[in-house]
């Protein structure tokens, strides 16, 4: 069992609570064996705390700061790899769901920055990151399918990976497709301290949750790789825009009890509904 | 000249700064003459401070808490009303732009919750709020045209009114249509103090600005009408997600110097571009 400490347990929402955990860990791109073991140990620690949905960071299987396409390819694993099987085994122990980022080797030989949703039966869905950040396009192919929403025993889980969160069309689309929770593995580079003390990643999660009336679980990584420091900005945000956050940069677990069933209610007061009030014919989303 | 006090002058952005003011005032629905006069006086105070773009709250002409459709109709003015002419006269004095909310009586007799963009030459654009909140649908007709982006000497200004800001498709659309600044008159009901001390309106403005790489100027109202207290949550946010805010609930002016020309640059670092990186074919914005 991992020594991963617990930051907080917070009750969010009212009924039918689902225990969601974000495991803020520090994979190490120079030690894949240790990174892989740490990812499974983090799941184990979350299951021991009663987590029903466990979110891991982006590229939890491998670490992030590759130096070449060859290095990324050497680190890539297929979605039937034993590592994801070990995630599934831990999920089975708690009858839980795991969402985690991994460096994927596709059957056609391409390498993707992917997230898997895993349960006791194995891999339920793989999402390949649509929006590649910075050097990622040097070693990853961009995804070619919309981000999925997966029906689970605990609610409908939409997947996104890191920079995807900066595209409000993608998160809105997940909510419109029925997501109660958006689970987002991230590897957010450390930002300068904002004037108001709130990392922009926390604000993005809170506003995405509030505008779409969904829960948003961002599992960020911490630590430093090859000189790049990461934010450690994990956050679980509610449809009211409230956020339970990790202390920036530290390793640990954010755990929140979330009324995921309540997220299907899009009403705002007696007269409004955030989906029903939409006026799609008047949005100018196609370039002029 | 109004006694409207100044909250803050902040330099935001680097070059070609445009001075943007949000005048956080308290119209009174029971005293239209005083409300109208206060709106013009607030513009005058902002012009005296050197403002080049002045934003007033939603329904600055009339106040907000109507009790009946008849009362709203009686308060409604045409877009060629002398009040908007007085806004234009003040704008002319500073060679400035004014964006303000007004209760509009249309030529066909319908009543709209509208925002006007006014300069020295008069009314340049009228936008009729697309998303009506709560009781508003009892007295206002919903708008039937997309929110506009108006080319001005200081930059391209997109218009939105209050609840519109909760539709990320609308604000994204304004940015894609070229807005450098989204000017949003609001009348935001007072919310419970958030756990992190930051009103959700401030977070929405900051995240909207950050995700779209635009400036966002939200001019909220303060005060209480017929038992309804307003937030007084005015905020000017930058493409970096930084926000200059008003002290909640107090009357006063938020003034910020904004590099509006810089908002046309959508690059993020050397490899990314928040518009160029979009994958519209994979967003699920149409209901399944």
């Amino acid at each position: 069992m991992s020594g991963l400490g617990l930051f907080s347990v917070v009750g969010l929402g009212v009924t039918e609570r689902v225990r969601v955990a974000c495991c803020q860990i520090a994979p190490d791109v120079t030690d894949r064996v240790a990174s892989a073991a740490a990812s499974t140990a983090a799941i184990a620690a979350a299951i021991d705390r009663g987590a029903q949905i466990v979110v891991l960071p982006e590229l939890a299987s491998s670490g992030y700061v590759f130096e070449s396409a060859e290095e990324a390819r050497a680190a890539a694993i297929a979605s039937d790899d034993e590592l994801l099987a070990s995630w599934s085994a831990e999920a089975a122990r708690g009858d839980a769901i795991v969402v985690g980022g991994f460096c994927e080797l596709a059957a056609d030989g391409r390498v993707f920055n992917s997230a898997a949703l895993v349960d006791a039966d194995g891999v339920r869905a793989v999402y390949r990151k649509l929006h590649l950040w910075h050097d990622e396009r040097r070693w990853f192919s961009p995804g070619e399918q919309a981000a999925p929403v997966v029906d689970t025993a605990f609610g409908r889980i939409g997947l996104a990976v890191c920079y995807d969160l900066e595209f409000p069309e993608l998160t809105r689309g997940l909510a419109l497709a029925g997501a109660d929770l958006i689970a987002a593995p991230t590897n957010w580079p450390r930002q300068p301290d904002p004037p108001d003390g709130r990392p922009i990643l926390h604000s993005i999660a809170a506003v995405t949750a509030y505008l779409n009336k969904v829960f948003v679980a961002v599992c960020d990584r911490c630590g430093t790789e090859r000189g790049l420091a990461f934010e450690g900005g994990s956050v679980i945000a509610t449809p009211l825009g409230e956020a339970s956050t990790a202390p920036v940069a530290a390793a640990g677990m954010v755990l929140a009890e979330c009324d995921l069933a309540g997220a299907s209610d899009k009403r705002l007061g007696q007269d409004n509904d955030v989906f029903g009030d939409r006026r799609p014919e008047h949005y100018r989303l196609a370039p002029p």
Side-chain angles (χ1 to χ4, degrees), chain A:
Chain A
M1 167 174 171
S2 150
L4 202 65
L6 181 68
F7 288 137
S8 54
V9 184
V10 197
L12 305 174
V14 229
T15 58
E16 307 268 357
R17 289 179 172 177
V18 177
R19 193 168 263 227
V20 180
C22 292
C23 297
Q24 183 164 291
I25 54 178
D28 178 352
V29 76
T30 67
D31 189 342
R32 283 210 304 282
V33 174
S35 297
S39 70
T40 307
I43 299 168
I47 297 296
D48 288 343
R49 297 279 190 184
Q52 294 160 299
I53 298 174
V54 181
V55 191
L56 299 177
E58 182 180 8
L59 295 173
S61 68
S62 62
Y64 184 85
V65 185
F66 297 115
E67 287 183 327
S68 68
E70 293 67 34
E71 188 183 37
R73 176 172 300 277
I77 58 176
S79 59
D80 62 358
D81 187 83
E82 62 183 16
L83 176 61
L84 273 58
S86 79
W87 293 2
S88 174
E90 285 300 330
R93 200 164 60 79
D95 208 9
I97 306 286
V98 173
V99 174
F102 73 110
C103 181
E104 183 191 7
L105 181 64
D108 63 8
R110 290 185 295 171
V111 179
F112 294 93
N113 182 341
S114 296
L117 187 147
V118 172
D119 66 11
D121 294 329
V123 175
R124 293 276 310 278
V126 171
Y127 163 62
R128 295 167 172 172
K129 187 177 184 181
L130 279 168
H131 305 94
L132 297 180
W133 170 256
H134 193 43
D135 278 342
E136 291 173 28
R137 65 190 70 198
R138 293 174 56 198
W139 23 87
F140 297 124
S141 296
E144 294 166 340
Q145 300 288 332
V149 176
V150 185
D151 217 344
T152 77
F154 304 112
R156 290 162 296 186
I157 303 176
L159 303 184
V161 176
C162 203
Y163 183 42
D164 287 335
L165 292 172
E166 301 198 38
F167 296 83
E169 311 92 326
L170 183 141
T171 49
R172 181 63 129 190
L174 287 172
L176 287 171
D180 303 309
L181 168 73
I182 295 174
T186 68
N187 277 187
W188 200 271
R190 187 91 180 86
Q191 305 292 310
D193 285 329
D196 62 2
R198 185 178 191 175
I200 191 72
L201 181 55
H202 292 179
S203 296
I204 292 171
V207 169
T208 299
Y210 176 88
L211 296 183
N212 293 295
K213 300 282 165 258
V214 296
F215 289 82
V216 175
V218 173
C219 185
D220 197 24
R221 65 160 292 166
C222 54
T224 298
E225 269 183 354
R226 291 177 169 159
L228 181 64
F230 291 93
E231 184 83 335
S234 297
V235 48
I236 300 177
T238 80
L240 295 176
E242 296 171 353
S244 174
T245 60
V248 167
M253 193 189 310
V254 183
L255 199 57
E257 294 183 341
C258 302
D259 172 25
L260 293 192
S264 58
D265 182 357
K266 302 301 180 187
R267 286 176 300 178
L268 264 183
Q270 297 203 326
D271 301 303
N272 291 92
D273 182 293
V274 299
F275 284 1
D277 291 344
R278 295 176 73 237
R279 308 286 306 277
E281 68 278 25
H282 298 303
Y283 305 139
R284 304 163 77 177
L285 293 172

